[in-house]
Amino acid sequence: MAEEQFFQMFLSGLRESVGRLSPPGFYSSPFKASYLSKWCPYDEACEPDGAVAACDGSISESSFSGGLVVWVARSVAHIYSRGREPVSLLEAGVEAGYRLQGRELFLRALELRTLRRALEKAFQSHGRVLGIFDGSLYLTFLHNRDRLKAVSRVFESYVKELTLLLKLVDGERMVIGLSKDSDISYLRAKIMIDILHSLDPGLASVARGRSIRRIREVLSEKVKGLSSDSMLETCFNELEQDFSDEGVYSEIAPGPGFTKPLLLAPQTIFLTGETRSTSWWDSGFRSRLKRDEALKGVLEALDSYFSNPPVALTFWRPSLSSRVYRVDIPSNILGYSDAGGSLSADFFIDDSGVEKAKKIFGVLNRLQHEPHIVHPLAEVDSIARLSRSIYRYAYEPVVVEELRRRGFKASPRRRSIRDAVLRGC
């Protein structure tokens, strides 16, 4: 009886919530042509000129009373080359401590290190290699010093591994990051900002904006009193639809291809309070880090990362899918070699960079294999995945035994006991 009542409440709430939404309408958008002006149709496929390395990982956690936590992570990289069986590289990482924070960063650092090892090994054997990372290569983080202090060791390790991987990239060793899902709107924001600036050069306050919501807030003051058919009002209405880049191009992309790569400036300069910053190097946040001795290692790691060429963002639609996928490409692959930390705004690569990008997407088009978009990533994912049942019955008892052998009580948290008793999990 209670379950039937819950279901009826759920159904009523669902209909009310969804009823407040409007379906995407980008096919009828007055800016559809502007979005498609950044679309590069491309469906050619080519064999990799060398080896391909793909990496993925997974992580599990054991929590005990008193705040004791143990992370167990593992990652797998495969090196593929024509006519040979894949070569596997395996790594595992374990971290134990009280009130650990930064779990996903710990896993990412392990994955990046594994992929770097695979690139180095493949380069020695094959001369050329393309590495595929499951996730983004663009550095984003919470700009809060207390938060950074709490995760400083893990965060510093992650940034160092990301930097070491990017420093490997040259004409023979290439890396891309492929994201299964993305909710950013950097590309759409850049297109709309360029349109707004052409309509009113005085709108400089949104020139470095990345947030659709914040651009809309700035524009709301400008459109007061304007007629409903003014272009600024039309832009404001367009920005009411706060959809991601993936959502837009998954709907309007006419066929296989990719968006013109957008070189990404440091996340730091887009923060509130950084309006005077022209780069990472003169940002207020970096200045505050310099004054904090406890974050000296973090600052050095960030400086090293921002000394690399920036990451370029693009969205790719394979021939086997109606959806687009986010792809991050180190911009030196596309012919841009200046330091990413010196950028003051995002900008699109030139046409020669687009031609270089086609070589990457030609290989990705070749790696399609139903039902997966990029088959190598699907293979390493299936091996790296550590299921909850395997962890609970094979790994966790060993964790508990080792802790107790070292003098820790390793008592399960009350919530875990309750779940085991009431839910059998």
PDB file of all heavy atoms in Angstrom, residues 117-133:
ATOM      1  N   ARG A 117      52.930   6.070 -19.112  1.00  0.00           N
ATOM      2  CA  ARG A 117      53.797   4.892 -19.258  1.00  0.00           C
ATOM      3  C   ARG A 117      53.523   4.172 -20.579  1.00  0.00           C
ATOM      4  O   ARG A 117      54.448   3.715 -21.258  1.00  0.00           O
ATOM      5  CB  ARG A 117      53.589   3.927 -18.105  1.00  0.00           C
ATOM      6  CG  ARG A 117      54.163   4.362 -16.762  1.00  0.00           C
ATOM      7  CD  ARG A 117      53.920   3.296 -15.713  1.00  0.00           C
ATOM      8  NE  ARG A 117      54.413   2.011 -16.150  1.00  0.00           N
ATOM      9  CZ  ARG A 117      53.814   0.847 -15.884  1.00  0.00           C
ATOM     10  NH1 ARG A 117      52.686   0.816 -15.188  1.00  0.00           N
ATOM     11  NH2 ARG A 117      54.323  -0.283 -16.306  1.00  0.00           N
ATOM     12  N   ALA A 118      52.237   4.075 -20.926  1.00  0.00           N
ATOM     13  CA  ALA A 118      51.873   3.398 -22.172  1.00  0.00           C
ATOM     14  C   ALA A 118      52.392   4.167 -23.380  1.00  0.00           C
ATOM     15  O   ALA A 118      52.870   3.569 -24.355  1.00  0.00           O
ATOM     16  CB  ALA A 118      50.352   3.235 -22.256  1.00  0.00           C
ATOM     17  N   LEU A 119      52.296   5.514 -23.338  1.00  0.00           N
ATOM     18  CA  LEU A 119      52.804   6.322 -24.443  1.00  0.00           C
ATOM     19  C   LEU A 119      54.317   6.147 -24.603  1.00  0.00           C
ATOM     20  O   LEU A 119      54.812   6.005 -25.728  1.00  0.00           O
ATOM     21  CB  LEU A 119      52.477   7.795 -24.210  1.00  0.00           C
ATOM     22  CG  LEU A 119      51.381   8.394 -25.098  1.00  0.00           C
ATOM     23  CD1 LEU A 119      50.038   7.777 -24.744  1.00  0.00           C
ATOM     24  CD2 LEU A 119      51.324   9.898 -24.943  1.00  0.00           C
ATOM     25  N   GLU A 120      55.017   6.160 -23.494  1.00  0.00           N
ATOM     26  CA  GLU A 120      56.471   5.999 -23.558  1.00  0.00           C
ATOM     27  C   GLU A 120      56.850   4.632 -24.104  1.00  0.00           C
ATOM     28  O   GLU A 120      57.766   4.506 -24.930  1.00  0.00           O
ATOM     29  CB  GLU A 120      57.071   6.223 -22.163  1.00  0.00           C
ATOM     30  CG  GLU A 120      56.951   7.673 -21.689  1.00  0.00           C
ATOM     31  CD  GLU A 120      57.296   7.846 -20.220  1.00  0.00           C
ATOM     32  OE1 GLU A 120      57.228   6.834 -19.473  1.00  0.00           O
ATOM     33  OE2 GLU A 120      57.626   8.976 -19.812  1.00  0.00           O
ATOM     34  N   LYS A 121      56.150   3.599 -23.665  1.00  0.00           N
ATOM     35  CA  LYS A 121      56.434   2.241 -24.135  1.00  0.00           C
ATOM     36  C   LYS A 121      56.101   2.089 -25.621  1.00  0.00           C
ATOM     37  O   LYS A 121      56.878   1.523 -26.397  1.00  0.00           O
ATOM     38  CB  LYS A 121      55.626   1.231 -23.312  1.00  0.00           C
ATOM     39  CG  LYS A 121      55.903  -0.239 -23.653  1.00  0.00           C
ATOM     40  CD  LYS A 121      55.103  -1.158 -22.751  1.00  0.00           C
ATOM     41  CE  LYS A 121      55.394  -2.613 -23.053  1.00  0.00           C
ATOM     42  NZ  LYS A 121      56.783  -2.993 -22.735  1.00  0.00           N
ATOM     43  N   ALA A 122      54.945   2.625 -26.024  1.00  0.00           N
ATOM     44  CA  ALA A 122      54.544   2.524 -27.427  1.00  0.00           C
ATOM     45  C   ALA A 122      55.480   3.316 -28.334  1.00  0.00           C
ATOM     46  O   ALA A 122      55.786   2.895 -29.457  1.00  0.00           O
ATOM     47  CB  ALA A 122      53.105   3.010 -27.590  1.00  0.00           C
ATOM     48  N   PHE A 123      55.933   4.458 -27.851  1.00  0.00           N
ATOM     49  CA  PHE A 123      56.846   5.284 -28.645  1.00  0.00           C
ATOM     50  C   PHE A 123      58.165   4.553 -28.896  1.00  0.00           C
ATOM     51  O   PHE A 123      58.723   4.598 -30.003  1.00  0.00           O
ATOM     52  CB  PHE A 123      57.101   6.602 -27.921  1.00  0.00           C
ATOM     53  CG  PHE A 123      58.057   7.516 -28.626  1.00  0.00           C
ATOM     54  CD1 PHE A 123      57.712   8.125 -29.819  1.00  0.00           C
ATOM     55  CD2 PHE A 123      59.318   7.756 -28.111  1.00  0.00           C
ATOM     56  CE1 PHE A 123      58.598   8.964 -30.483  1.00  0.00           C
ATOM     57  CE2 PHE A 123      60.207   8.593 -28.749  1.00  0.00           C
ATOM     58  CZ  PHE A 123      59.849   9.197 -29.944  1.00  0.00           C
ATOM     59  N   GLN A 124      58.655   3.849 -27.899  1.00  0.00           N
ATOM     60  CA  GLN A 124      59.892   3.097 -28.057  1.00  0.00           C
ATOM     61  C   GLN A 124      59.739   1.971 -29.083  1.00  0.00           C
ATOM     62  O   GLN A 124      60.668   1.676 -29.848  1.00  0.00           O
ATOM     63  CB  GLN A 124      60.322   2.500 -26.713  1.00  0.00           C
ATOM     64  CG  GLN A 124      60.768   3.548 -25.704  1.00  0.00           C
ATOM     65  CD  GLN A 124      61.051   2.948 -24.337  1.00  0.00           C
ATOM     66  OE1 GLN A 124      60.829   1.749 -24.104  1.00  0.00           O
ATOM     67  NE2 GLN A 124      61.532   3.770 -23.421  1.00  0.00           N
ATOM     68  N   SER A 125      58.554   1.362 -29.129  1.00  0.00           N
ATOM     69  CA  SER A 125      58.341   0.209 -30.008  1.00  0.00           C
ATOM     70  C   SER A 125      57.857   0.585 -31.400  1.00  0.00           C
ATOM     71  O   SER A 125      58.162  -0.103 -32.374  1.00  0.00           O
ATOM     72  CB  SER A 125      57.316  -0.746 -29.371  1.00  0.00           C
ATOM     73  OG  SER A 125      57.737  -1.158 -28.098  1.00  0.00           O
ATOM     74  N   HIS A 126      57.096   1.685 -31.507  1.00  0.00           N
ATOM     75  CA  HIS A 126      56.416   1.984 -32.764  1.00  0.00           C
ATOM     76  C   HIS A 126      56.757   3.360 -33.352  1.00  0.00           C
ATOM     77  O   HIS A 126      56.387   3.637 -34.495  1.00  0.00           O
ATOM     78  CB  HIS A 126      54.903   1.884 -32.574  1.00  0.00           C
ATOM     79  CG  HIS A 126      54.459   0.558 -32.027  1.00  0.00           C
ATOM     80  ND1 HIS A 126      54.383  -0.579 -32.814  1.00  0.00           N
ATOM     81  CD2 HIS A 126      54.095   0.185 -30.788  1.00  0.00           C
ATOM     82  CE1 HIS A 126      53.963  -1.581 -32.065  1.00  0.00           C
ATOM     83  NE2 HIS A 126      53.781  -1.153 -30.837  1.00  0.00           N
ATOM     84  N   GLY A 127      57.418   4.220 -32.591  1.00  0.00           N
ATOM     85  CA  GLY A 127      57.817   5.513 -33.143  1.00  0.00           C
ATOM     86  C   GLY A 127      56.737   6.570 -33.089  1.00  0.00           C
ATOM     87  O   GLY A 127      57.015   7.721 -32.777  1.00  0.00           O
ATOM     88  N   ARG A 128      55.473   6.206 -33.355  1.00  0.00           N
ATOM     89  CA  ARG A 128      54.355   7.155 -33.287  1.00  0.00           C
ATOM     90  C   ARG A 128      53.237   6.514 -32.476  1.00  0.00           C
ATOM     91  O   ARG A 128      53.002   5.304 -32.561  1.00  0.00           O
ATOM     92  CB  ARG A 128      53.826   7.511 -34.686  1.00  0.00           C
ATOM     93  CG  ARG A 128      54.810   8.319 -35.529  1.00  0.00           C
ATOM     94  CD  ARG A 128      54.218   8.623 -36.910  1.00  0.00           C
ATOM     95  NE  ARG A 128      53.036   9.465 -36.814  1.00  0.00           N
ATOM     96  CZ  ARG A 128      53.063  10.794 -36.817  1.00  0.00           C
ATOM     97  NH1 ARG A 128      54.219  11.438 -36.890  1.00  0.00           N
ATOM     98  NH2 ARG A 128      51.948  11.495 -36.758  1.00  0.00           N
ATOM     99  N   VAL A 129      52.547   7.340 -31.711  1.00  0.00           N
ATOM    100  CA  VAL A 129      51.473   6.796 -30.880  1.00  0.00           C
ATOM    101  C   VAL A 129      50.445   7.892 -30.586  1.00  0.00           C
ATOM    102  O   VAL A 129      50.783   9.065 -30.415  1.00  0.00           O
ATOM    103  CB  VAL A 129      52.041   6.227 -29.553  1.00  0.00           C
ATOM    104  CG1 VAL A 129      52.821   7.279 -28.785  1.00  0.00           C
ATOM    105  CG2 VAL A 129      50.932   5.658 -28.679  1.00  0.00           C
ATOM    106  N   LEU A 130      49.178   7.503 -30.562  1.00  0.00           N
ATOM    107  CA  LEU A 130      48.078   8.368 -30.162  1.00  0.00           C
ATOM    108  C   LEU A 130      47.500   7.818 -28.865  1.00  0.00           C
ATOM    109  O   LEU A 130      47.036   6.677 -28.817  1.00  0.00           O
ATOM    110  CB  LEU A 130      46.982   8.413 -31.231  1.00  0.00           C
ATOM    111  CG  LEU A 130      45.673   9.119 -30.820  1.00  0.00           C
ATOM    112  CD1 LEU A 130      45.913  10.601 -30.567  1.00  0.00           C
ATOM    113  CD2 LEU A 130      44.585   8.929 -31.883  1.00  0.00           C
ATOM    114  N   GLY A 131      47.546   8.620 -27.806  1.00  0.00           N
ATOM    115  CA  GLY A 131      46.974   8.218 -26.528  1.00  0.00           C
ATOM    116  C   GLY A 131      45.565   8.774 -26.365  1.00  0.00           C
ATOM    117  O   GLY A 131      45.298   9.922 -26.720  1.00  0.00           O
ATOM    118  N   ILE A 132      44.659   7.959 -25.823  1.00  0.00           N
ATOM    119  CA  ILE A 132      43.267   8.362 -25.619  1.00  0.00           C
ATOM    120  C   ILE A 132      42.963   8.252 -24.132  1.00  0.00           C
ATOM    121  O   ILE A 132      43.014   7.157 -23.550  1.00  0.00           O
ATOM    122  CB  ILE A 132      42.288   7.493 -26.428  1.00  0.00           C
ATOM    123  CG1 ILE A 132      42.665   7.501 -27.910  1.00  0.00           C
ATOM    124  CG2 ILE A 132      40.862   7.990 -26.247  1.00  0.00           C
ATOM    125  CD1 ILE A 132      41.810   6.583 -28.755  1.00  0.00           C
ATOM    126  N   PHE A 133      42.661   9.386 -23.523  1.00  0.00           N
ATOM    127  CA  PHE A 133      42.351   9.449 -22.101  1.00  0.00           C
ATOM    128  C   PHE A 133      40.842   9.547 -21.917  1.00  0.00           C
ATOM    129  O   PHE A 133      40.173  10.299 -22.638  1.00  0.00           O
ATOM    130  CB  PHE A 133      43.036  10.663 -21.473  1.00  0.00           C
ATOM    131  CG  PHE A 133      42.812  10.798 -19.996  1.00  0.00           C
ATOM    132  CD1 PHE A 133      43.352   9.887 -19.117  1.00  0.00           C
ATOM    133  CD2 PHE A 133      42.064  11.853 -19.490  1.00  0.00           C
ATOM    134  CE1 PHE A 133      43.153  10.015 -17.747  1.00  0.00           C
ATOM    135  CE2 PHE A 133      41.859  11.995 -18.122  1.00  0.00           C
ATOM    136  CZ  PHE A 133      42.408  11.067 -17.256  1.00  0.00           C
TER     137      PHE A 133
END
